[in-house]
Amino acid sequence: MSGSKSARVLIAVVLAVVALVAPIAVAGAAPVGPTGGADGARWAASHDGPQPYAGVNVTWDVPIRMSDGTVLRANVYRPADGRERPTSTKTPVIVNMTPYTKLITTVGSAVMQNPVLEPYLLQIARSINLSGTPIDGINDIAHTIRDGGAKTFLVDFDLVRSGYTQVVVDVRGTGFSQGVWDVFQSREQRDTIEVIDWASKQRWSNGKVGMSGVSYSAINQIQAANKNPKALKAIFPVEPGGDLIRDIVAPGGALGVGFLPLWLTLVNTTKMIPNVASMLNGTFDWKWLADRISDPFTFYPQLFAALLTPDIPSVPPNLKALLDTDSEPRSSWLDHADRITTPTLIYGGWFDLFTNSEVRMYNKIPLPPGKKQLIMGDGYHLTIGGGQEGRRNTPPRLDVLQKAWFDKWLKGIDNGVDSYGPVNLKQVGDSWITAQQFPRAGMQRQRLYLGDRRSGTAAHAVRDGSLTPTPPASRARMTIAPGLAPMCSRDAAQQLAGALAIFPFCADDARISERAALSFTTPPLTTTRSVSGYSNVRLNTVLDATDGYWTATLNDVAPDGTSKVLTSGQVMASLRGYDRAASQFAPNGDVIDPFYELTLASRQRVVPGRPVSVDIGLLPTEALIKPGHRLRIDVFAMNFPRGLPLRPLLNESGLRPQHIQLDPNRPSFVNLPLSTPVGRPVG
């Protein structure tokens, strides 16, 4: 036997021994950290490696008749051989309900996963490096393609070829489906349940159904899972909302003008795209056309009413319904996550459109860790799963995690994904960490008080104040007027789903927006601290009108002066009332997560000139503050385009200057969850 041949035999023997021993060594071992350890590597190999099926068979525009006679249209993607002949084996089914017309899904999936185009697109995405330029935020958008996040919005052909059937359905009133767009309300939710039942009973289905999709399609998953249909075995909602009024329609009572008009225009425009193929072959659906003509501008009347109605008595019924807790849209748009018994993995982000709901839903789901999991990145709505490939200590790509999740709960494969996490968090400004819960254990609540003593760090702000562990003795009044500087801010980037984040001087540094802010800053911190959980800013305010608009941000200020927003919140002064039963409180009684009622019935007009306390709940966050950095609270009287007061409230405010009245007996402060208190803890 030659030397080279002997070497090959020896290597083969070693590999065989390793193959036998390795499973014993790692069997049942919990994944290590955010990467998933050895299990995570196997999930990636399972997704990216050879699949049992060579091709994908597509059946276009399959009709699904709902119980009221309305016909929805679906594309069905099935595992197939190399000649695209579908398998006769029954498989689990993944359902995706979309309002963005499945035509977009079709084209996007075909382009991004074409055997010729996909490597080219990935090469382009990986080669983009605009770091240090005024538009380096484009890197993050490119990474959603490079890192597999976009596949969770589209159809993942690797998932189908691994033995799943995927069904993409145009929701009622959108795409090629009949009906009037119901926008997450009861009829649309019933449609989803009926589609799940239909999918479970098809000849190519083994009766087990999962759900996938991003944003709208993620919300549909939550709404379906809270009804616990028998066939639904797992969901993988990416960036789901759970309370649309508080998430995007009117957070804090201010209309989300940056996102809503663009989004409504997108859906109402794409729903008018006809099925050209049916026009050519003589099968055009005239019922589809009649339905579109009957309601071409869904929810535009409510939007216009919010922008144009001059006063409260003139509010029309369609807008009044959005300001009534018991109305159909308000009640339908709640997640009811406390009813979910379906294994659920939620992916969200600290600057997503739905940050308000993602953590809240995870904590409400009555399942043990493992059957429910949470991943929170630090990106925006458009940067889905970016930064999760080829990075040290990051979670697996989203398409990899999605397949592993479905393999466990739909195929019964013991792949260890139920031991992952259960909570993986990207610390703003630092790395990924794994935790058992969010907020993380070990945080201490501390008040830091707003004062008028100059910190010497924010001369560019309207006023440069201090943030200290003890309340100031001052009785000064600090005044701020509405301004448009927040148009260049992280809040603006968040409201625009991340589009503005391509400009780092807006999204990553608040010094431009702070020109319209009262700023309050701590001395430099001497040790590293974590912030984990909810924060609340309590202001002792005085208004010159019967209403006003308050916004606050929590910032990390670097030694070079860069002011990075960690989290933010906003509230109309007249809508400051909150539901105590649904809110969270610190041990000392401070509210830390006010759940605003946001109804006309709960509205409390302000008496001009009289002090009134306002609580501004900040969105949850996870951040690492390094030595030499400072904490800062910025306070604004306007937050356009993140929010614009409803027209009646805007008229009452008169856009007049607003005041913080410093008073030792009624101090203004922020209540923070810190791993180590700043200075002497008080409160």
Side-chain angles (χ1 to χ4, degrees):
M1 183 180 293
S2 67
S4 61
K5 187 174 182 181
S6 300
R8 288 197 299 270
V9 171
L10 179 60
I11 291 172
V13 171
V14 171
L15 290 175
V17 172
V18 169
L20 290 172
V21 174
I24 298 174
V26 300
V32 179
T35 66
D39 281 344
R42 281 191 290 272
W43 303 335
S46 175
H47 181 278
D48 298 342
Q51 301 298 346
Y53 298 96
V56 175
N57 173 273
V58 187
T59 305
W60 309 105
D61 296 319
V62 176
I64 309 175
R65 187 171 296 275
M66 299 294 97
S67 57
D68 66 350
T70 300
V71 174
L72 308 187
R73 297 284 177 178
N75 290 345
V76 178
Y77 299 77
R78 296 175 58 194
D81 63 18
R83 298 174 62 184
E84 298 185 359
R85 294 175 298 190
T87 180
S88 60
T89 302
K90 295 184 176 183
T91 68
V93 183
I94 309 300
V95 169
N96 181 304
M97 306 290 293
T98 180
Y100 303 118
T101 176
K102 62 188 186 304
L103 181 63
I104 293 177
T105 303
T106 299
V107 174
S109 300
V111 171
M112 288 192 61
Q113 298 178 88
N114 181 279
V116 176
L117 292 178
E118 182 180 17
Y120 182 63
L121 286 173
L122 290 177
Q123 182 179 356
I124 292 175
R126 288 168 178 155
S127 66
I128 291 175
N129 184 3
L130 297 171
S131 300
T133 72
I135 54 172
D136 77 356
I138 289 177
N139 293 344
D140 295 330
I141 296 176
H143 293 169
T144 67
I145 297 174
R146 184 199 68 184
D147 298 351
K151 286 186 179 180
T152 61
F153 177 82
L154 304 169
V155 175
D156 184 353
F157 287 178
D158 289 319
L159 179 67
V160 175
R161 285 191 287 259
S162 74
Y164 291 92
T165 295
Q166 183 147 4
V167 177
V168 181
V169 186
D170 289 325
V171 301
R172 172 182 299 254
T174 72
F176 299 162
S177 291
Q178 296 175 354
V180 172
W181 185 28
D182 199 40
V183 198
F184 298 115
Q185 296 181 75
S186 56
R187 180 62 248 190
E188 182 177 293
Q189 294 185 39
R190 185 172 179 179
D191 289 347
T192 304
I193 300 303
E194 292 180 8
V195 168
I196 291 170
D197 182 65
W198 174 87
S200 71
K201 295 177 179 177
Q202 299 307 297
R203 57 181 175 78
W204 30 259
S205 170
N206 71 358
K208 295 181 179 180
V209 177
M211 292 189 75
S212 69
V214 177
S215 190
Y216 197 107
S217 303
I219 297 169
N220 266 318
Q221 294 180 57
I222 296 292
Q223 291 178 331
N226 69 33
K227 297 169 185 60
N228 296 296
K230 183 178 179 181
L232 187 62
K233 304 301 181 183
I235 63 173
F236 194 90
V238 176
E239 301 176 336
D243 186 341
L244 300 190
I245 287 289
R246 295 176 178 85
D247 290 342
I248 57 171
V249 176
L255 186 68
V257 292
F259 178 75
L260 281 178
L262 295 175
W263 177 67
L264 287 173
T265 299
L266 171 65
V267 180
N268 279 301
T269 299
T270 56
K271 78 180 187 183
M272 304 302 291
I273 300 174
N275 187 337
V276 177
S278 70
M279 297 170 69
L280 297 176
N281 62 24
T283 61
F284 182 73
D285 187 349
W286 294 101
K287 174 69 165 54
W288 173 92
L289 181 60
D291 289 339
R292 292 301 183 274
I293 293 174
S294 71
D295 185 30
F297 304 113
T298 306
F299 260 85
Y300 270 104
Q302 291 91 324
L303 177 63
F304 290 145
L307 293 172
L308 302 175
T309 303
D311 50 46
I312 295 296
S314 302
V315 171
N318 58 3
L319 179 57
K320 192 173 292 185
L322 301 182
L323 298 170
D324 179 0
T325 302
D326 297 326
S327 68
E328 159 70 1
R330 282 289 288 267
S331 57
S332 295
W333 291 349
L334 297 176
D335 56 73
H336 299 294
D338 55 318
R339 304 173 185 172
I340 294 176
T341 60
T342 303
T344 301
L345 193 156
I346 294 174
Y347 174 90
W350 303 126
F351 306 108
D352 182 33
L353 289 167
F354 301 110
T355 307
N356 171 65
S357 289
E358 288 154 350
V359 167
R360 199 183 303 275
M361 286 190 292
Y362 171 79
N363 286 331
K364 283 169 34 178
I365 294 174
L367 288 172
K371 281 193 172 182
K372 67 171 182 178
Q373 295 189 19
L374 176 69
I375 301 175
M376 292 294 289
D378 67 349
Y380 298 90
H381 201 63
L382 288 176
T383 55
I384 310 163
Q388 289 179 217
E389 183 192 54
R391 302 292 201 281
R392 182 174 176 271
N393 201 39
T394 64
R397 300 192 327 256
L398 277 186
D399 54 347
V400 168
L401 278 169
Q402 178 175 256
K403 181 179 183 297
W405 192 249
F406 289 142
D407 282 350
K408 169 63 182 179
W409 302 111
L410 297 184
K411 290 186 175 181
I413 298 174
D414 187 13
N415 57 11
V417 74
D418 52 327
S419 298
Y420 184 58
V423 174
N424 285 286
L425 310 167
K426 176 66 164 63
Q427 291 188 302
V428 181
D430 204 69
S431 58
W432 284 88
I433 60 172
T434 295
Q436 293 302 306
Q437 65 188 56
F438 182 86
R440 288 192 294 125
M443 298 299 122
Q444 303 177 54
R445 306 298 317 189
Q446 183 184 15
R447 285 184 180 183
L448 293 176
Y449 294 89
L450 281 58
D452 61 342
R453 180 173 55 83
R454 287 175 52 84
S455 73
T457 63
H460 55 281
V462 174
R463 287 287 297 273
D464 173 21
S466 58
L467 196 60
T468 59
T470 55
S474 173
R475 294 182 179 272
R477 176 172 290 190
M478 306 178 74
T479 299
I480 185 70
L484 293 179
M487 291 179 66
C488 181
S489 68
R490 173 158 264 178
D491 264 16
Q494 186 169 1
Q495 179 69 8
L496 293 171
L500 188 66
I502 66 173
F503 304 113
F505 55 83
C506 283
D508 296 337
D509 192 345
R511 282 180 287 186
I512 291 178
S513 61
E514 285 173 346
R515 294 180 182 277
L518 300 174
S519 191
F520 306 88
T521 313
T522 67
L525 305 183
T526 57
T527 59
T528 299
R529 285 168 173 79
S530 292
V531 181
S532 181
Y534 293 88
S535 305
N536 182 75
V537 176
R538 161 67 65 90
L539 299 180
N540 183 41
T541 72
V542 175
L543 298 181
D544 298 331
T546 56
D547 212 340
Y549 180 26
W550 291 102
T551 298
T553 65
L554 172 65
N555 300 13
D556 174 3
V557 182
D560 67 359
T562 301
S563 180
K564 179 174 288 190
V565 172
L566 304 177
T567 180
S568 66
Q570 57 187 17
V571 67
M572 293 300 302
S574 67
L575 296 175
R576 64 191 181 277
Y578 55 85
D579 181 346
R580 292 187 64 86
S583 302
Q584 298 183 52
F585 296 85
N588 70 344
D590 289 348
V591 65
I592 54 176
D593 179 25
F595 190 82
Y596 302 119
E597 293 176 316
L598 303 185
T599 64
L600 286 179
S602 65
R603 186 168 182 259
Q604 308 169 62
R605 298 176 78 204
V606 175
V607 177
R610 182 179 298 177
V612 61
S613 295
V614 174
D615 288 292
I616 308 173
L618 307 185
L619 295 173
T621 193
E622 176 72 40
L624 190 75
I625 314 300
K626 298 177 181 178
H629 287 230
R630 304 167 186 253
L631 289 171
R632 173 177 291 167
I633 294 293
D634 286 331
V635 178
F636 303 83
M638 181 56 71
N639 200 19
F640 184 86
R642 178 68 182 274
L644 181 70
L646 302 177
R647 181 60 179 275
L649 311 187
L650 182 67
N651 287 354
E652 287 202 26
S653 77
L655 292 176
R656 297 181 184 178
Q658 303 173 188
H659 317 283
I660 297 177
Q661 180 63 57
L662 298 182
D663 184 342
N665 298 316
R666 299 182 61 174
S668 296
F669 59 85
V670 59
N671 189 307
L672 293 173
L674 298 168
S675 58
T676 305
V678 175
R680 183 169 63 88
V682 176

